[in-house]
Amino acid sequence: MNFENLKDVNLQDAAKILQDGGLVAFPTETVYGLGADALNPVAAAKIYAAKGRPSDNPLIVHIADIETVFSLTDFDMLSSDMQEKARILMDAFWPGPLTIIFPKKAHVPDGTTGGLSTVAVRMPSHPLALELIRQSGMCIAAPSANLSGRPSPTTAKHVQEDMDGRIDMILDGGAVGIGIESTIVDLTGDIPTILRPGYITRTMLQELIGEVEIDRALIEADANLRPKAPGMKYTHYAPKGELSIVECKGESTDLFEQSQKVCEYINALVKEKQEQGFKVAVLAPKEHVSQYQCDYILPIGELAKGETIAANLYAILRQCDELEIAYMYTESYDNTNLGGAIMNRLLKAAGHRVISV
Ligand code: TXA
Ligand code: MG
């Protein structure tokens, strides 16, 4: 979107609401955010109330220039190696879909960081988000603008569905580009660690700063491991019906054979549930749409272009709710790079219900 299109958007009113401690939903390049003054604990508390969000789940602070990092965070507490890595990541990926965890300065309220001694910071690239931060002159705390537990909003209409009557204003910037939340990387430990996978992949980070770990709680099916990002422990993005992921764990290494097996299995599950009188949907990549037999086949994007799947995922989950679908089935996606971020969201939406065939 170019700035010409933003003339109609009343940024001045939005900035004023934020300055007065109110709540404004706004588009970012990832998902819509629900913004409030990050340094005002009363304003931040309103975010938790509007979303119905547990108070131990900290917020991301959105800024419009790199300099602000040095006023929000105890940058000098990082080792010189980590400071260097932080600078490299900020230069390479900001503005953009990367959130970085730093030690916080004392004036960043516990009400924003969920009582943690660290703070999550990101500079979004969406022009409306940047302009709102600039015009308000503030750091804006903003979680995704959904009710807690619902799929994140990728359009202003989704925000309205969840937040109508609960917030002061929604800035409509159309559908977002990326569709899944930012990658979160923690720089406060010995090795940079991904706490939430996203559009910026581990490979992209490693190319610039060397070794990067992934929070073990995200990849190991051990319920005793606590994710380092508090929000990652909650069931999330959950549609109202029951979503199951069908993956191929068979011996065949032939990808075509594998995907046929999965489609056949999903078709059998669909038939059974439809015969029992349930409304059933299949989330199908474009390449496989013709292989499914189901009353509701919802095209989710193209296998050949993973970013289209990321962009459509949350809207499709919301569509399933609108259609009052009782059972949803999806194939699994290649768990590398962007596919890893997609699978992370799908697994959460499915409550980790995976069927191996
Ligand atoms: O793309 C995004 O990041 C979007 C847009 C609006 O910017 N925001 C977003 O915020 O996804 P939210 O609140 O839905 O998710 C923030 C995640 C949560 O899992 C939270 O636990 C984690 O970030 N987080 C925030 N501060 C943290 C901290 N200091 N340490 C560890 N995790 C933190
Ligand atoms: Mg969220």
Side-chain angles (χ1 to χ4, degrees):
M1 182 194 288
N2 65 37
F3 280 91
E4 289 303 299
N5 299 334
L6 301 181
K7 278 190 191 135
D8 296 339
V9 179
N10 201 338
L11 275 167
Q12 262 179 351
D13 284 356
K16 178 81 173 52
I17 290 169
L18 291 174
Q19 286 159 356
D20 292 342
L23 299 181
V24 175
F26 61 96
T28 80
E29 71 280 21
T30 57
V31 298
Y32 272 74
L34 178 55
D37 179 358
L39 301 183
N40 173 351
V42 178
K46 289 185 191 166
I47 290 180
Y48 288 88
K51 279 182 61 92
R53 178 177 175 112
S55 61
D56 69 343
N57 190 1
L59 307 173
I60 295 174
V61 179
H62 295 66
I63 61 174
D65 58 82
I66 290 182
E67 284 313 301
T68 308
V69 165
F70 306 106
S71 65
L72 281 175
T73 76
D74 244 333
F75 197 78
D76 296 342
M77 292 235 315
L78 296 174
S79 65
S80 56
D81 172 51
M82 232 23 125
Q83 289 185 21
E84 176 63 16
K85 287 178 173 158
R87 286 179 203 277
I88 293 171
L89 294 182
M90 293 189 292
D91 281 342
F93 297 114
W94 282 5
L98 181 72
T99 296
I100 304 179
I101 310 285
F102 295 100
K104 83 172 183 78
K105 278 230 166 85
H107 71 283
V108 180
D110 283 345
T112 295
T113 64
L116 297 178
S117 60
T118 53
V119 59
V121 186
R122 121 170 166 88
M123 190 197 303
S125 65
H126 196 294
L128 247 179
L130 282 173
E131 221 16 62
L132 181 64
I133 300 167
R134 286 191 189 116
Q135 288 216 17
S136 67
M138 322 176 125
C139 301
I140 302 184
S144 48
N146 50 285
L147 285 174
S148 204
R150 294 265 292 147
S152 297
T154 53
T155 66
K157 182 174 157 278
H158 296 163
V159 178
Q160 196 168 8
E161 281 167 17
D162 281 15
M163 291 296 159
D164 203 19
R166 295 172 163 259
I167 64 177
D168 301 299
M169 188 172 179
I170 302 173
L171 288 178
D172 188 348
V176 301
I178 292 177
I180 55 175
E181 305 84 345
S182 61
T183 305
I184 303 179
V185 63
D186 184 0
L187 296 184
T188 64
D190 295 333
I191 299 170
T193 303
I194 292 174
L195 307 189
R196 179 174 70 185
Y199 187 79
I200 309 283
T201 63
R202 184 188 198 178
T203 312
M204 289 158 81
L205 297 173
Q206 279 178 332
E207 270 168 15
L208 294 179
I209 58 167
E211 189 184 4
V212 174
E213 284 185 342
I214 297 185
D215 184 3
R216 280 178 54 219
L218 301 186
I219 37 184
E220 288 173 29
D222 178 349
N224 293 320
L225 288 176
R226 268 186 152 245
K228 289 187 183 131
M232 297 299 278
K233 71 175 180 281
Y234 298 106
T235 326
H236 215 235
Y237 324 120
K240 289 171 188 152
E242 190 180 290
L243 171 68
S244 301
I245 302 171
V246 180
E247 65 173 11
C248 188
K249 273 283 152 72
E251 261 126 59
S252 161
T253 48
D254 181 330
L255 284 179
F256 178 73
E257 225 173 81
Q258 284 192 6
S259 95
Q260 271 214 319
K261 207 169 157 192
V262 166
C263 292
E264 275 167 25
Y265 198 87
I266 289 179
N267 281 336
L269 290 169
V270 168
K271 186 161 180 279
E272 184 189 326
K273 291 292 182 202
Q274 286 189 167
E275 279 172 5
Q276 289 167 7
F278 292 109
K279 253 186 172 181
V280 184
V282 174
L283 282 51
K286 197 174 155 206
E287 291 90 337
H288 295 167
V289 162
S290 64
Q291 297 189 41
Y292 287 111
Q293 290 115 39
C294 181
D295 290 344
Y296 297 91
I297 299 170
L298 308 176
I300 191 171
E302 290 177 54
L303 283 176
K305 290 187 204 144
E307 64 277 11
T308 59
I309 296 177
N312 287 323
L313 179 60
Y314 289 141
I316 296 254
L317 293 177
R318 282 181 180 258
Q319 193 187 351
C320 287
D321 284 352
E322 246 168 59
L323 292 166
E324 300 185 315
I325 303 290
Y327 291 94
M328 289 148 277
Y329 299 101
T330 174
E331 41 196 275
S332 69
Y333 295 96
D334 178 16
N335 211 353
T336 52
N337 294 325
L338 185 56
I342 292 168
M343 282 309 291
N344 169 268
R345 302 331 190 255
L346 271 180
L347 280 163
K348 290 184 124 206
H352 289 266
R353 226 179 337 265
V354 181
I355 302 167
S356 296
V357 298

